[in-house]
Amino acid sequence: MEVEIKVNGEDWALSVAPADVLLDVLREQVGTKSPKIGCERGDCGSCTILMDGRTVRSCLVLAVEAERHEITTVEGISFEGLSPLQDVFLSSNAFQCGFCAPGIVLSATELLEQNPDPSRHDVQEALAGNLCRCTGYEPIIEAVLEAAKGGSA
Amino acid sequence: MTTTYPFDAESKDDELKSVGTPAVRIDGLEKISGAAEFVDDIDFGPGLLHAAIVESPHAFARILSIDTTAAEQAKGVVKVVTGKDFPYKFGMYMEDRYIFAQDHVRFAGEQVAGVIARSHREAVQAAALIEVDYEVLEPLLDPKEAFAEEADLIHPDLGDYTHVPWFFPKADTNIAHWRKIRKGDTEKAFAEADFVLEDTYRVPRYAHCAIEPHVTVSKLDHADRLTVWTASQSPHTQRHLFAEALAPLGFTHKDVRVITPYIGGGFGGKAGVSMEIMGAAMATLVKGRPVKVRWTREQEFYNTYQRQGVIAELKVGVMNDGTITAVQHRLYWDAGAYVEYGANVVNAAGLSATGPYRVPNITNDSLCMYTNLPPGGPYRGFGYSEFHFGLESHMDRIAEAIGMDAVEFRRKNAIVEGDELSYGAHMNPSGLIEAIDKTAAAIDWGVEETSDNPDTVIGKGMALFWKAPAMPPNASSASFLKFNEDGSINITVSGMELGQGYLTVMAQIASEVLTVPVDKIRVETPDTDRNPYEWQTVASHVTWSSGLAVQKAAIEAREKIFDVIHQVYGYEDDSLYLENETVRCKTDPEFVKPLREFVIDGIQTEEGTWRGGPIIASGKFMPEFTNANSDPETGQGGHPNVHYTVGATGVVLEIDKDTGRVWVRKAALAVDAGRAINPDLVKGQIVGGLVQGLATVLYEDMRFDEGGKMMNPNFTDYKIPTAFDIPDEIIPIIVEVPQPDGPFGARGVGEHTMIAAAPVIANAVYNALGTRIKSMPVTQEKIAMAFREQQT
Amino acid sequence: MIAKEFDYQRPATLEEATAILVAHPGETTRILAGGTDLVAWLRDDAVAPDLVVDIKDIPDLRDIRMEGDTLHLGSLTTFTDLIESDIVEEHAPLLIEMASTVASAGIRNRATMVGNICSAVPSCDAGPVLLALDTTVHLAGPGGARSVHIDDWFVGLRQTALTDDEVVTHVTIKLQEHGGAYVKLMRYAGEDLAQAAVGIVVYPDHDYRVAFGAVAPTPIRSARIEEALAGKPLDESLIAEVVGMVPDEISPITDMRATAEYRTHMCQVMLKRGLEAAVQRLAGIGPAYETRLI
């Protein structure tokens, strides 16, 4: 099937099978590698993308479902330099292996768009679907709260 | 008596500029921008092939036949392989594995065949067409049953297996290795003890759960060079094992190249060689085409290394004054179907199963039992987390029984520098007492707290930990360092950036010696053709070992820099020093020579000729005081461990009496880092390791059915912590009693931070409810049901 | 990666959708809404349809509105839609308490509440709450529209009253002043399937609704407990009486997630705490919705 998808502001016309999941198509056909393959069943959040501004698991979306939707990955929010949120993540050494980072950056970005003044619980809620095995989350939560204090993401 | 160390690392405590600072990670920008490239992110072009693996559904069976006809004819299929294609053994410390199963399968999920196809989907579809006939055998799933004299043999040829000299397999049994320690007279000590406590503790298997699954891409090019891009902690060890296993095909080490970009977490699971060898082998049959094998999350659970389960029978004797006089620790390890790596976990635990205590009489038996469960192997903590659960639970129980405060009891027996270790060598300098005191203070030990909520109660717990790197006695590290035209530096090493911050720490060490700022130093991830040797990034040893190699390279570069200056300007080397990327002279305060002016092009002499040239240097480190030659019956005589890192963990928790739910309100963890090269990164290890450890005790649990098949190979039912599942407050405490031979005094801390998490929870649960849980995990269900039973 | 291939259609109208379903009857066709169950099952090879019918292009299925005293929720309403809806917050905060326990934000942005009761796994979070709220499920089929009371919706393990050629269009809930509670047993604080769950609604004059999740092949309502409570103010002895009835009302299993004994014990604890909270909330004094009661 032919589908048209906008990825990071760019229009793509792609030929996909109905059984192709969006995650694989983004990685293999669009070349957008920041959404990662972690569990392929919606449990880990590594494949998180923004679809029309909201986080979704790209492993649980068929590529054909993304037709006429706008996809944003972490590459797309870094075009004009790092976001204030990314700046704090960087300066506070918030991540370790970094595999979960693209998904967490997007989940936190969505949170700060929806709720510029989140509580610690709100941050935990927003990040609870993004598994990180390295950090124990504490530095990530702290960084999101700090970014929120510093203004919008 | 203390160990003397041949290499006295330089340490100028008061003048440190880079070491000891919370430098921003040099890999930080790549990781938060999406730029960081992991193996699965590398493009290999349209020629890339994909492999799917056919696995045994049975835990123990004889393979009668494999019919690959239909798969070979399926759409997109390029090649189908079975064990017959690769009748080669391999293994890290003991060669007990084959690349694909030969005549038997020994765990559910074991690889039986592989399909290589043009697309992943076609490979998986064709793999489903392969028919394997099995004669199903009765699996052995329990290590004590495997130990029984009448047990069936999982490896009847055990007596013929090649292994390292410090393993003692027992032919015609399921005992793959038996580490014994016999010190003093345990029987006599028990007879004379005022109090003896004996009990059994059980620890199940656990999964690493790196978020990045194992993935490998292998290519044999038309010039017969085999390159393997792999998510591994062990590039050189992998190259070595690939070259050795595939030697019958004509490979030598120079023909095999392993490239390891960033990896998405390791925790031991990506050490050694597991699934990667299938990719390397399969690629040899499709010359010119790269082959990708990417593990699914399910395979990640059931066909990579797992943390081994253990049944720990512990007996400890004490005097009324609280002095521990004897420890007898018998550990039955459920090591799984292949123990090529896991047997060394068993060995390490056996050497140290007294915990961080001064014990004059010791009987340790650490038994590596083959079972029909997936292969055991390295996992952060390397056996220590497992035996600390029982040991540190036991210490609390003994203290209570003799009427002594649990912290005071531990303090009294805590091992200190010079104390004799179980194998006869002596303890290194350590800040254990300081760690105990600071941890106890952080949780207000001794101050009883009550809850305002009638449904909940509050408890406190403490536990100590220690761990030594478990390595071959000659495990070594090396580094290359080169200057660039602008005075910036590239360093190549072969330790892996697992997330712990290794690259940054190496940069800080070089920065300290050469005064070049960290952001002008690039440290590259390994490529075995280009980067110098590193044994593996495991054992919490690379800050120490690779750090020493980098420090030596930096010192060598500095000597070369001074040599050029001496040649041109005549200043004596010992009058020269570096400051802010310049060479200065103590005897001539006016002299300033920026590094960028000469580290590539050299310095022109008065007569117009040039001296110097590119500054390049190398460094290597191998511990020269270790040896693994000890008496197999007593364990005495060797010096198998380089040093121990010690510390303490304390928690304050709140428990709902009805539901059993536990909230960790406060957790404190003190670890003796010797010297925190980067305190931010040490704190990262404390917080991350502690949360990982708390998960193993509170809810993580690998479950197997009666046939030995894992029931929860996914995050739906193998729960790892989310952002909600962390203590309300974590207090990281860094103790710094320098390691005499460490780079600026540093020693490793990465694994240690999770070791005491399990017993500290068990102890705090007891403190809160009076309920002692002796099997992990200590789930809310177990707590609620045990408390309920206790009430009736 | 989904190994088995299938066809995909995206009808633009309800009529088109039912026509496709009529033309492709049986287990070989699956309706796709949020996809958070279906795509995972496709990937796991747990279902293997020949055709997937995506209903997300059908207009008007994502409405949230009040029609008099009745809350209308379109079948494409996601859990996030519920959480972010002012209408739901004002009229049925119990739905938000339930929705906020479902998986995680990235799932809730896609997953629909109706999809949850169509998947109809025993642990579906919406089940106990929609049972306690006397929800009506509205369907469209080749013969036109029909409605099914939620009590008749769950007919067996992963089975509902929905026939192969029907699509759920919306659910309606007739609302009046009430207090509610959804209490969910999870293995930890993070995302988890319910190991057991209790949904409770209390109306004025001591009129109670009680339903359980994950302790029977389907979410179940307990008429006996409701009768025992009916007309009586909640006090300790009444709580003890109904808590004592729990073991006879549920039929939990032991599996790797929890033992039957713990599930039963926890249903008793959750019923007690849920009743107390619901009654307090009705009186306007209870713990705020979304406060975790266990």
Side-chain angles (χ1 to χ4, degrees), chain B residues 120-121 124-125 296-298 455 656 658-659 661 663 699 703 711-712 716-717 719-722 724-725 780-781 784-785 788, chain C residues 1-5 43-44 185-193 255-259 261-262 265-266 268-269 273 292 294:
Chain B
H120 189 194
R121 181 176 287 138
V124 171
Q125 287 173 344
T296 62
R297 179 54 56 186
E298 290 80 357
D455 293 328
D656 187 318
D658 292 331
T659 67
R661 178 154 174 218
W663 294 266
Y699 36 81
R703 305 287 287 270
M711 296 191 291
N712 55 340
T716 306
D717 283 309
K719 308 307 291 182
I720 69 169
T722 75
F724 276 124
D725 304 287
Q780 58 183 9
E781 168 166 349
M785 299 315 267
R788 214 169 152 219
Chain C
M1 198 273 301
I2 297 168
K4 185 181 177 300
E5 301 204 61
R43 182 265 174 194
D44 287 353
L185 173 62
M186 305 189 291
R187 284 165 286 193
Y188 65 173
E191 165 181 357
D192 199 5
L193 302 173
D255 62 12
M256 67 182 150
R257 292 172 187 154
T259 60
E261 293 74 25
Y262 185 58
H265 166 70
M266 284 304 299
Q268 295 176 310
V269 173
R273 295 194 190 173
R292 294 191 188 197
I294 58 166

Side-chain angles (χ1 to χ4, degrees), chain C residues 207-271:
Chain C
D207 184 11
Y208 303 83
R209 303 285 181 276
V210 174
F212 296 95
V215 286
T218 68
I220 49 165
R221 188 162 163 180
S222 173
R224 284 187 61 234
I225 290 177
E226 289 178 8
E227 278 163 28
L229 291 163
K232 298 174 196 156
L234 194 69
D235 60 24
E236 271 187 39
S237 70
L238 183 59
I239 289 173
E241 182 190 338
V242 293
V243 160
M245 294 167 69
V246 167
D248 290 334
E249 288 299 284
I250 60 176
S251 49
I253 57 167
T254 290
D255 62 12
M256 67 182 150
R257 292 172 187 154
T259 60
E261 293 74 25
Y262 185 58
R263 286 187 157 111
T264 301
H265 166 70
M266 284 304 299
C267 279
Q268 295 176 310
V269 173
M270 293 190 294
L271 179 62

Side-chain angles (χ1 to χ4, degrees), chain B residues 484-636:
Chain B
N484 302 313
E485 289 85 342
D486 62 351
S488 65
I489 294 172
N490 280 59
I491 294 172
T492 51
V493 282
S494 288
M496 271 305 292
E497 176 56 63
L498 313 178
Q500 79 282 50
Y502 164 75
L503 299 181
T504 306
V505 163
M506 293 305 112
Q508 285 182 262
I509 288 171
S511 169
E512 189 61 51
V513 176
L514 295 168
T515 74
V516 174
V518 166
D519 60 12
K520 287 181 76 175
I521 301 175
R522 184 174 290 279
V523 189
E524 314 250 11
T525 54
D527 168 344
T528 57
D529 268 13
R530 313 251 160 104
N531 297 36
Y533 183 83
E534 167 62 52
W535 170 60
Q536 296 191 96
T537 301
V538 299
S540 303
H541 87 117
V542 290
T543 293
W544 174 73
S545 177
S546 186
L548 287 169
V550 168
Q551 188 182 16
K552 288 180 169 186
I555 291 169
E556 183 182 302
R558 186 175 63 191
E559 284 167 0
K560 288 181 173 176
I561 287 165
F562 292 168
D563 188 49
V564 183
I565 299 292
H566 173 71
Q567 283 182 51
V568 179
Y569 302 107
Y571 298 117
E572 290 306 319
D573 285 7
D574 59 8
S575 73
L576 298 172
Y577 64 100
L578 297 175
E579 188 175 274
N580 297 331
E581 306 175 73
T582 62
V583 185
R584 306 293 300 261
C585 181
K586 288 177 205 159
T587 57
D588 180 2
E590 301 298 307
F591 179 76
V592 181
K593 186 71 179 171
L595 294 175
R596 66 174 182 281
E597 290 181 6
F598 70 95
V599 286
I600 291 292
D601 290 335
I603 304 172
Q604 197 166 24
T605 61
E606 280 180 13
E607 63 267 29
T609 58
W610 296 77
R611 296 290 179 276
I615 299 293
I616 57 171
S618 66
K620 63 99 182 163
F621 174 74
M622 187 172 76
E624 293 179 344
F625 54 92
T626 46
N627 82 69
N629 307 333
S630 58
D631 182 330
E633 293 307 316
T634 67
Q636 302 301 307

Side-chain angles (χ1 to χ4, degrees), chain B residues 41-54:
Chain B
D41 301 338
I42 303 171
D43 279 313
F44 290 90
L48 178 65
L49 299 175
H50 301 261
I53 305 300
V54 178

Side-chain angles (χ1 to χ4, degrees), chain B residues 670-713:
Chain B
V671 62
D672 182 2
R675 156 85 62 194
I677 306 280
N678 184 324
D680 235 20
L681 299 179
V682 173
K683 285 176 189 167
Q685 291 304 300
I686 291 175
V687 175
L690 182 61
V691 168
Q692 190 174 2
L694 291 173
T696 63
V697 60
L698 291 171
Y699 36 81
E700 283 184 34
D701 188 3
M702 276 190 155
R703 305 287 287 270
F704 296 88
D705 68 17
E706 287 169 1
K709 191 168 184 187
M710 190 180 171
M711 296 191 291
N712 55 340

Side-chain angles (χ1 to χ4, degrees), chain A residues 40 54-55 57 65 67, chain C residues 1 10 56 84 104 109:
Chain A
E40 299 181 277
R54 302 304 296 257
T55 55
R57 307 306 170 89
E65 290 182 84
E67 181 152 44
Chain C
M1 198 273 301
R10 194 161 56 209
K56 286 193 290 296
E84 296 180 352
S104 56
N109 285 343

